């Protein structure tokens, strides 16, 4: 049974330890949980700044619904960073529901988002619990920009671009391959999911703040089409994203296509093992701690309607830190007051887009948005 109010599951990973770092800054006691106590202990001591002043403990736990339920019981919030979430998410969500804890995660896997919405959302709502997958820079910061545009009534179409600097983590590399192998990527057209053409390759985007065209991918479809599918203001959502490094972007479709071709005839277990091995060849070590001079982010949203236009750009830095901070703030918020919405909800739906923007700006991770509204 949990002796702290927040459990960070997968705390030894790159994102997990950043969540722990920001929980320390919010003076929130937490449990750093995962499959290896030794790995957790080393990660906390070596990678979490100021950990000696944190109120925390380490708990080793098997990835099993029963054991996770026992651990989560007594906690108020679980921050889950263990992916691919389509593979490992169900046990955690079911354990949260059984233990009566709010669920947060960092996913961008659209199939897992849809599962959360359609399979678990009503049960969490009935229990008065929040189910908020996808609270992360790649999704929530762009959602904040979209919500700022939607403050102008009459806009029903969102064209979203999400870019960041740096390299993917070990876990996110595996997630990209698994997601590409097992599910489609969808945009929203007139409130219906429409699949992106998987053979289309790279898209070229005009990105604010640079002359060079940026290279982008649907990136699994992202969270936004799922969040806005039931929003009466919005009928159409498409999202493209990528890293600023064009050489890296040029390599992604080739890596994914090669992995899919090599594993297309395998059974699910063998395919997952093969994809894991491929991911390890692409990225087998943690990226360095972010440098704000190098790890920049741009979230750009064009919103339109029959007679109106709005454009919002949020320039920021350190996308993984943005994710860690928003996860920690969400947990901090939930310890003091209920979310704005229970059941399946986005970060902005649960906590407010201007509130989350204020948190990011107060920690110096994004600047004030640039919003242009055609009147």
């Amino acid at each position: 049974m949990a002796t702290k109010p927040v459990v960070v599951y997968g705390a030894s990973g790159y994102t997990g330890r950043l969540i722990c770092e920001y929980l320390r800054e919010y003076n929130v006691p937490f449990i750093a949980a995962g499959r290896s106590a030794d790995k957790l202990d080393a990660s906390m001591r070596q990678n979490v700044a100021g950990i000696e002043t944190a109120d925390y403990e380490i708990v080793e736990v098997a990835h099993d619904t029963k054991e996770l339920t026992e651990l989560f019981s007594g906690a108020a919030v679980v921050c889950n960073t263990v992916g691919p979430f389509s593979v490992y998410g169900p046990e955690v969500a079911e354990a949260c529901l059984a233990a009566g804890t709010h669920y947060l995660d960092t996913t961008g896997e659209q199939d897992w988002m849809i599962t959360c919405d359609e399979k678990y959302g009503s049960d969490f709502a009935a229990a008065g619990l929040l189910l908020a997958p996808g609270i992360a820079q790649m999704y929530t910061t762009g959602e904040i920009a979209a919500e700022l545009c939607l403050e102008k009534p009459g806009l029903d179409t969102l064209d979203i671009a999400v870019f960041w600097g740096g390299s993917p983590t070990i876990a996110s590399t595996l997630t990209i391959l698994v997601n590409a192998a097992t599910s489609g990527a969808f945009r929203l057209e007139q409130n219906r999911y429409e699949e992106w053409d998987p053979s289309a390759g790279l898209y070229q985007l005009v990105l604010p703040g640079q002359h060079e065209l940026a290279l982008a991918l649907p990136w699994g479809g992202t969270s936004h089409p799922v969040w806005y599918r039931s929003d009466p203001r919005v009928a159409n959502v498409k999202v493209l994203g990528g890293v600023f490094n064009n050489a890296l972007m040029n390599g992604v479709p080739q890596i994914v296509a090669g992995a899919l071709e090599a594993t297309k005839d395998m059974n699910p277990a063998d395919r997952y093992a093969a994809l894991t091995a491929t991911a390890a060849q692409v990225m087998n070590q943690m990226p360095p701690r972010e440098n704000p001079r190098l790890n920049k982010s741009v979230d750009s949203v064009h919103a339109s309607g029959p007679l109106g236009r709005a454009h919002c750009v949020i320039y920021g830095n350190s996308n993984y830190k943005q994710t860690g901070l928003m996860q920690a703030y969400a947990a901090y918020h939930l310890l003091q007051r209920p979310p704005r919405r229970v059941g399946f909800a986005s970060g902005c739906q649960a906590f407010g887009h201007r509130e989350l923007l204020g948190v990011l700006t107060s920690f110096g991770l994004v600047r004030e948005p640039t919003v242009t509204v055609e009147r």
Side-chain angles (χ1 to χ4, degrees), residues 21 26 32 35 77 94 121 134 159 167 230 242 254 264 266 269 292 297-299 306 318 320 339 347 352 363:
E21 184 172 322
Y26 276 113
R35 291 176 295 179
V77 186
E94 290 163 12
D159 181 354
S167 302
S230 299
Q254 300 171 23
K264 65 181 181 180
M266 295 181 179
S297 67
V298 175
D299 292 86
S318 307
Y320 286 106
F363 278 79

Side-chain angles (χ1 to χ4, degrees), residues 3-35:
T3 57
K4 309 291 184 187
V6 176
V7 177
V8 181
Y9 183 50
S12 62
Y14 192 90
T15 305
R17 62 202 196 196
L18 285 170
I19 296 172
C20 295
E21 184 172 322
Y22 283 111
L23 286 171
R24 182 199 73 86
E25 295 198 18
Y26 276 113
N27 294 314
V28 173
F30 64 91
I31 290 173
R35 291 176 295 179

Side-chain angles (χ1 to χ4, degrees), residues 60-128:
E60 182 175 295
V61 62
H63 189 80
D64 171 82
T65 302
K66 181 180 178 181
E67 288 201 26
L68 291 170
T69 301
E70 292 175 357
L71 172 61
F72 297 165
S73 296
V77 186
V78 171
C79 300
N80 181 24
T81 69
V82 178
F85 294 88
S86 59
V87 177
Y88 296 112
E91 293 87 347
V92 187
E94 290 163 12
C96 283
L97 191 58
T101 62
H102 298 294
Y103 174 94
L104 313 173
D105 77 29
T106 59
T107 191
E109 298 164 53
Q110 205 173 67
D111 56 339
W112 173 240
M113 296 285 298
I114 293 171
T115 296
C116 286
D117 183 16
E118 297 179 354
K119 183 176 181 179
Y120 299 116
S122 59
D123 290 338
F124 271 79

